[in-house]
Amino acid sequence: MRNNKHFRPTKAIIDLNAIKYNVNELKKHIQPNVQIIAVVKANAYGHGDIEVAKAALEAGASMLAVATPDEALHVRKHIPTAEILVLGYSPASFADYAAEENITLTVYSPNWVEEAKKVCNKSLKLHIKVDTGMNRIGVTTVKELRSLYDAIQSAEHFILDGIFTHFATADEEDDSYFQKQVHRFEQFIKALPEKPRIVHVANTATTLVKDARLQYDAVRFGISMYGLAPSKFVKSKHPFPFKPAFSLETELVAIKQIGPGESVGYGATFTVNEPTYIGTLPIGYADGLIRKYSGQDVLIDGKRVPIVGRICMDQCMIALPTAYNIGEKVVLIGKQKNEEITIDEWATKVDTINYEVPCIITSRVPRIYYKND
Ligand SMILES: *Cc1c(COP(=O)(O)O)cnc(C)c1O
């Protein structure tokens, strides 16, 4: 199909075999009967929500989690049957749509239940969010939990399907704040007259390095499904290796040799002292290659070469040791010959976490799915 073809060579390659491998490895690691909730919010951390969700379900995940109502509707449009949980806020006005589409919502306020009741007269599944220390969303007292529970019970069409919380420091070595949250959660659970079908608290870090009892009925598997570690600490304790799924590639589209005193790019910030080959790549900050990545290495012919000068909106320049041909493949993230540039390296370069790196590669970069079977 003509409109499915991408003419610009800049592409993110998503290895769905890696996603499946990571889900399978996790399955071996967790307790029997613990379900895997595949977290595919934010377009599956920039990897592509539909393809990743399908791969995760094929590998044995039993539920999908997204952050917003719109993400849930997008996933539902392509995946008609899987359970979908919205982890974040949904307006009460969404309740009727959620019920219609069999989307499970997170709830943390009795007022929300009252509002939602007015607009929704179909069966709607709800998970209660408990705030045990993130101080983001969730009920914060047992009293609030009870009134929320009562509100749900008194609503004819609402089903309390689950309860969960989220940890602020599961990926850190210091356990004290984490244990405080665990203790608070247990108090909340005790205060509930009956246990809902699914209790879940564990993100990737909790699942990998904390007490197996915290896997409860399901774990929320996010970052390591994509082959990335939640933190250096968790990486050092990873019970098994994961495979990264995301690579970023492009091609050399221009090359020239410039002489001493010549500069590269806006602001003429990079000036050479000797004859230097400068290559141009068709990727820039509008693709998520933000200007702070200037100086970052890329791979050409298995060798590291730096991005030089300011990154433009749609292009950037690299300094080359020799004259490569137009069309020569360039890897920005991933492996080439014996070299590799990881998402972790990119994160370190701009002083952030690996989660942020694929998320901010914009939709202008097509995601191409790789799956050998
Ligand atoms: C994003 C998110 C997760 C996944 O976290 P990872 O560290 O990627 O495993 C789990 N639970 C909630 C509530 C989240 O928002």
Side-chain angles (χ1 to χ4, degrees), residues 39 41 45 87 129 136 164 166 203-205 220-223 230 355:
V39 181
K41 64 190 179 190
Y45 296 35
L87 295 166
K129 181 74 183 279
R136 190 169 64 175
F164 71 110
H166 192 52
N203 56 0
T204 298
R220 301 190 300 269
F221 192 35
I223 194 73
Y355 291 71

